[in-house]
Amino acid sequence: SQQGEEDPQALSIQEGENATMNCSYKTSINNLQWYRQNSGRGLVHLILIRSNEREKHSGRLRVTLDTSKKSSSLLITASRAADTASYFCATGNQFYFGTGTSLTVIP
Amino acid sequence: EAGVAQSPRYKIIEKRQSVAFWCNPISGHATLYWYQQILGQGPKLLIQFQNNGVVDDSQLPKDRFSAERLKGVDSTLKIQPAKLEDSAVYLCASSFSGTPYGMQYFGPGTRLTVT
């Protein structure tokens, strides 16, 4: 399976702290994408990192990719209550999603 | 820019009944996807269209599920007959890129409950 798997399954932090979640996958990829899902806005694309990139930033988001370890991490800095959501990585040619990391940011 | 539209938003049916979902992708998006998301799990790709042709339907339970994309725009996903395990949110997504690697835009989903 090319499925990405997120870790941890659940994460609870205080507002203002940083949140880090990881994604591991099994096969070679063209790119890896991170998505956020909450009840209010559905599933939203956050960031795409290509296989020849090692790090990418977008606002408070920082994504790293280590193709040798087949892993990626998503860092959210200075978290806000609005960041409370499930975060998924998607990999492979056919968009295999993992089971997600449920992030709770406590105000 | 209008987003991906889906209807209905909610549907409750009894097992063995039929149901159909509709999706209107973002204008100009060539690629359309249908996903099934069971509670507590990530989305599972059911079928992918490129214009009106099927690119991948390897995970579509073809004995009961069918999908079409007429004229390369709107799409419908049908389940006939429904089973209890089909209870899930059905998500439609579209992407501009002609390849499967592009950023996807998701609709709000249709929550199906089979009783």
Side-chain angles (χ1 to χ4, degrees):
Chain A
S1 168
Q2 299 181 50
Q3 189 174 30
E5 291 295 338
E6 298 85 356
D7 171 69
Q9 288 191 330
L11 181 61
S12 183
I13 60 174
Q14 296 289 328
E15 197 167 35
E17 293 181 338
N18 295 342
T20 300
M21 53 204 83
N22 306 295
C23 169
S24 60
Y25 57 93
K26 296 181 179 179
T27 64
S28 60
I29 59 173
N30 292 288
N31 66 56
L32 185 144
Q33 303 185 24
W34 284 92
Y35 288 79
R36 178 181 65 211
Q37 185 175 42
N38 59 33
S39 57
R41 295 195 61 193
L43 199 63
V44 176
H45 181 272
L46 293 177
I47 194 165
L48 179 154
I49 186 166
R50 303 187 189 284
S51 59
N52 61 353
E53 296 176 311
R54 292 297 169 258
E55 186 171 313
K56 199 163 185 179
H57 296 256
S58 176
R60 294 184 296 110
L61 306 179
R62 173 180 166 243
V63 170
T64 62
L65 179 64
D66 187 334
T67 54
S68 67
K69 296 181 179 178
K70 291 187 169 58
S71 67
S72 173
S73 67
L74 171 67
L75 168 68
I76 304 174
T77 60
S79 63
R80 305 167 182 169
D83 296 328
T84 294
S86 291
Y87 292 80
F88 297 93
C89 64
T91 66
N93 296 345
Q94 296 155 317
F95 282 103
Y96 290 94
F97 284 80
T99 53
T101 292
S102 177
L103 172 66
T104 301
V105 180
I106 304 167
Chain B
E1 178 183 78
V4 176
Q6 289 188 249
S7 68
R9 293 294 308 278
Y10 305 91
K11 189 75 176 178
I12 301 173
I13 62 172
E14 295 182 352
K15 59 184 179 184
R16 291 186 288 275
Q17 286 187 325
S18 301
V19 65
F21 312 126
W22 173 82
C23 173
N24 180 238
I26 292 173
S27 178
H29 281 195
T31 310
L32 184 147
Y33 313 79
W34 281 103
Y35 290 87
Q36 178 193 60
Q37 186 174 22
I38 293 172
L39 186 64
Q41 299 181 18
K44 171 188 168 185
L45 180 67
L46 293 177
I47 190 167
Q48 178 188 338
F49 291 95
Q50 177 71 17
N51 295 309
N52 60 349
V54 175
V55 173
D56 177 33
D57 63 356
S58 59
Q59 298 192 95
L60 186 73
K62 298 180 185 64
D63 57 333
R64 297 184 301 105
F65 286 65
S66 65
E68 61 181 7
R69 190 182 184 196
L70 299 177
K71 301 180 181 179
V73 182
D74 293 5
S75 177
T76 57
L77 176 69
K78 297 179 181 178
I79 307 174
Q80 181 180 10
K83 294 184 176 181
L84 295 177
E85 57 260 36
D86 297 332
S87 293
V89 176
Y90 291 84
L91 296 165
C92 178
S94 68
S95 65
F96 177 75
S97 170
T99 74
Y101 315 135
M103 184 173 74
Q104 296 185 41
Y105 295 83
F106 283 81
T110 295
R111 183 177 298 276
L112 173 67
T113 302
V114 182
T115 63

